[in-house]
Amino acid sequence: MYDYSGLNEECGVFGIWDHPEAAQLTYMGLHSLQHRGQEGAGIVCSDGESLVGQRGMGLLTEAISDTQLESFKSYKHAIGHVRYATSGNKGIENIQPFLYHFYDMSAAVCHNGNLINAQSLKRSLEHQGSIFHSSSDTEVIMHLIRRSKAPTFEDALQESLRKIKGGFTFALLTKDALYGAVDPNAIRPLVVGKMKTGAYIIASETCAIDVLGAEFVQDIHAGEYVVINDEGIRVESYTRHTTTAISAMEYIYFARPDSTIAGKNVHAIRKQSGKQLAQESPADNADMVIGVPNSSLSAASGYAEESGLPYEMGLVKNQYVGRTFIQPTQELREQGVRVKLSAVKDIVHNKNIVLVDDSIVRGTTSRRIVQMLKDAGANEVHVRIASPEFMFPSFYGIDVSTTAELISANKSPQEISEHIGSDSLAYLTVDGLIQSIGLNEDAPYSGLCVESFTGDYPAGLYDYESDYLEHLSERQKEYLTNHTQYFDKEGNLNV
């Protein structure tokens, strides 16, 4: 799905062990994670002996029918996945979970994030005789597991996790156990919950636990994996080489406001970011604050509260736009802004407005929204962004992986302000973002991954390094020259 805001994130994972309605609960959990991927969805279930699965294109309701769910009634264990593609083509062959039937076992796997050494590993595996059936990087993990000479599945999983690089979480299901794994930086989140029946849940966000009335148990931390089976739950480390670097974009944009990541509520952090932004970049002579629905509304309310300005609904989002309007070309995406958003003319007419948004990526959407407000009669539009400049591409699971896609890679805030037609433009500082989130980890950037704002890549670049370095803009080079970097391009910590 292409959203008017210009950012999309890869995937949500869910798993449940030992519940008589495992498939139905997985469906409900995936529904609460639908914001993480709308391109396709799938569920694989186990009855303790065999594994069966269903997957399809589109939203969850389109991908899996009631009849298909009904056929899973006797199964007690399940994993599920909603997908947005950042790696691999857009086809049914890439919809997860992937289900494998081997001579000695069956296994299913799904994944959130991006493996930055997947191409190198694929080439190596193909030279050894592996055959890949999709273009998704998720398939790599199962090939590594099956080629391992380790004595058990768990040992092979540990060995394989040490070979892959990037920002990722995995959910894996066999007839014997449910597994969840997190990358050595915890860039992508994974949480564990427990239902009153005793069934355990793993999920990309706590909102999927809450929707089932389950209790939060714990986060899975950097370099850890969890094993859930009939004996209970066990959390292990597969590597000691860890540096916590939770994706700041989870807080800024991707996660649902009611989710909690590393003990921090997403709505509360977005609101605090808005307050911090108001302190750093007030807007003189403003009459009101409005936010861009939906992910910017929390930050806008914080900005209004801190600045003492009224918080108004100056933009309304059409919540019922069908997939007809969610188009894969930039031209149609831009035209879709007016279908999905409209200005409230009677509110914004003849007013000086502070427009709070969570990010500016390509700039085209911001320009159309500013123009929309001015067409509705706004006198001035002062844009305030509740995150730092999105200056560097992301390779850890966001669909912005080239410098050419980033307006901040080539233009200063003043130049961007002129480009989008705003009367002023200001961003939250990196320090302001770190302070607003307040993880206070003993790690670079207080335990945050802020690669898109700083050019520091905690998990390294690997397969992407040469292309990335070749296409650095002059503005990016200048920034990197003038700022101390914590990480080198292979993810090694410089201290």
Side-chain angles (χ1 to χ4, degrees):
M1 168 177 169
Y2 287 82
D3 194 66
Y4 69 86
S5 54
L7 279 176
N8 287 287
E9 200 265 358
E10 185 187 359
C11 311
V13 300
F14 183 92
I16 185 167
W17 186 266
D18 195 23
H19 195 286
E21 296 179 310
Q24 288 74 13
L25 293 176
T26 298
Y27 187 94
M28 293 172 64
L30 291 178
H31 196 273
S32 71
L33 297 173
Q34 187 77 85
H35 59 286
R36 298 185 73 89
Q38 301 86 26
E39 182 185 301
I43 295 175
V44 170
C45 299
S46 169
D47 59 2
E49 291 298 328
S50 60
L51 271 65
V52 296
Q54 294 284 354
R55 56 181 181 166
M57 302 293 292
L59 299 172
L60 183 64
T61 51
E62 301 167 319
I64 300 174
S65 68
D66 293 341
T67 303
Q68 291 169 333
L69 265 185
E70 191 70 20
S71 69
F72 289 152
K73 263 202 164 178
S74 61
Y75 294 85
K76 296 174 62 178
H77 321 301
I79 60 172
H81 188 259
V82 289
R83 182 175 196 262
Y84 177 84
T86 63
S87 174
N89 297 326
K90 298 168 170 54
I92 188 67
E93 72 277 5
N94 288 315
I95 303 302
Q96 303 170 33
F98 294 142
L99 176 56
Y100 302 90
H101 297 294
F102 304 110
Y103 75 93
D104 58 342
M105 69 174 297
S106 293
V109 59
C110 55
H111 151 240
N112 165 38
N114 199 41
L115 306 185
I116 53 177
N117 64 337
Q119 293 307 313
S120 298
L121 289 173
K122 275 188 176 182
R123 283 194 294 270
S124 174
L125 288 163
E126 286 177 347
H127 281 308
Q128 298 172 55
S130 291
I131 298 172
F132 288 86
H133 297 283
S134 76
S135 55
S136 170
D137 54 349
T138 309
E139 244 191 307
V140 169
I141 188 74
M142 192 55 67
H143 283 273
L144 290 172
I145 289 171
R146 291 300 292 180
R147 287 196 166 272
S148 169
K149 298 191 187 317
T152 68
F153 182 89
E154 184 175 338
D155 291 334
L157 174 61
Q158 285 193 49
E159 180 185 294
S160 302
L161 289 169
R162 287 191 286 269
K163 291 181 179 179
I164 59 178
K165 308 298 179 183
F168 57 81
T169 58
F170 279 94
L172 303 98
L173 182 67
T174 69
K175 69 181 182 65
D176 300 314
L178 168 66
Y179 301 86
V182 172
D183 66 78
N185 301 104
I187 293 171
R188 296 282 158 237
L190 189 69
V191 294
V192 178
K194 187 177 183 181
M195 300 193 69
K196 293 177 181 177
T197 63
Y200 280 100
I201 296 166
I202 60 173
S204 292
E205 292 184 35
T206 58
C207 64
I209 293 173
D210 297 336
V211 76
L212 301 182
E215 177 186 0
F216 171 79
V217 175
Q218 67 178 94
D219 294 297
I220 303 301
H221 299 293
E224 292 182 345
Y225 69 96
V226 58
V227 185
I228 301 169
N229 55 28
D230 289 341
E231 297 175 4
I233 180 173
R234 176 167 48 87
V235 178
E236 307 281 357
S237 296
Y238 63 86
T239 178
R240 286 178 290 181
H241 301 292
T242 62
T243 304
T244 299
I246 298 167
S247 173
M249 288 304 293
E250 291 284 352
Y251 293 105
I252 295 165
Y253 183 84
F254 296 130
R256 260 179 41 165
D258 54 333
S259 285
T260 298
I261 302 173
K264 302 290 183 177
N265 171 256
V266 172
H267 162 71
I269 281 174
R270 289 176 183 168
K271 187 170 183 179
Q272 183 58 40
S273 297
K275 290 183 176 183
Q276 181 70 27
L277 180 60
Q279 294 172 16
E280 292 180 357
S281 301
D284 297 333
N285 303 317
D287 298 311
M288 65 176 63
V289 178
I290 66 174
V292 179
N294 283 329
S295 57
S296 305
L297 300 183
S298 299
S301 69
Y303 191 102
E305 187 175 308
E306 182 66 23
S307 59
L309 293 169
Y311 170 56
E312 296 285 357
M313 187 183 293
L315 291 168
V316 175
K317 182 180 180 181
N318 183 350
Q319 306 287 357
Y320 304 100
V321 175
R323 288 178 61 81
T324 306
F325 298 105
I326 303 164
Q327 297 292 346
T329 67
Q330 182 62 33
E331 181 182 358
L332 291 175
R333 192 156 58 213
E334 291 177 27
Q335 292 174 354
V337 173
R338 290 190 179 274
V339 177
K340 296 192 73 172
L341 280 181
S342 58
V344 185
K345 293 183 178 180
D346 290 346
I347 298 296
V348 304
H349 182 74
N350 206 30
K351 295 293 193 297
N352 297 334
I353 293 167
V354 178
L355 175 68
V356 177
D357 204 352
D358 48 46
S359 58
I360 294 179
V361 182
R362 301 170 183 92
T364 50
T365 298
S366 299
R367 182 170 57 186
R368 287 182 175 272
I369 294 174
V370 169
Q371 188 60 51
M372 184 190 303
L373 290 169
K374 293 202 169 182
D375 288 345
N379 285 339
E380 297 177 2
V381 179
H382 300 275
V383 176
R384 295 294 180 267
I385 305 300
S387 67
E389 293 181 74
F390 206 120
M391 192 182 299
F392 297 92
S394 175
F395 304 101
Y396 302 147
I398 307 174
D399 70 334
V400 181
S401 57
T402 66
T403 290
E405 295 177 275
L406 303 172
I407 192 170
S408 289
N410 297 290
K411 294 181 185 293
S412 68
Q414 178 60 39
E415 290 170 330
I416 295 172
S417 181
E418 294 170 4
H419 176 78
I420 66 176
S422 64
D423 293 275
S424 69
L425 169 65
Y427 295 85
L428 185 63
T429 62
V430 173
D431 287 343
L433 174 66
I434 292 169
Q435 184 178 330
S436 298
I437 296 175
L439 285 184
N440 298 319
E441 291 274 346
D442 184 19
Y445 304 108
S446 296
L448 288 173
C449 177
V450 288
E451 84 284 19
S452 294
F453 313 129
T454 64
D456 263 356
Y457 294 92
L461 291 173
Y462 290 86
D463 293 349
Y464 296 94
E465 181 174 0
S466 59
D467 189 62
Y468 163 75
L469 295 174
E470 182 181 344
H471 292 97
L472 280 174
S473 70
E474 291 306 312
R475 189 160 194 259
Q476 289 171 321
K477 291 175 184 176
E478 182 182 359
Y479 182 93
L480 292 173
T481 300
N482 294 330
H483 292 76
T484 301
Q485 303 300 290
Y486 279 111
F487 303 99
D488 66 21
K489 298 311 176 202
E490 291 184 350
N492 298 313
L493 190 59
N494 292 326
V495 290

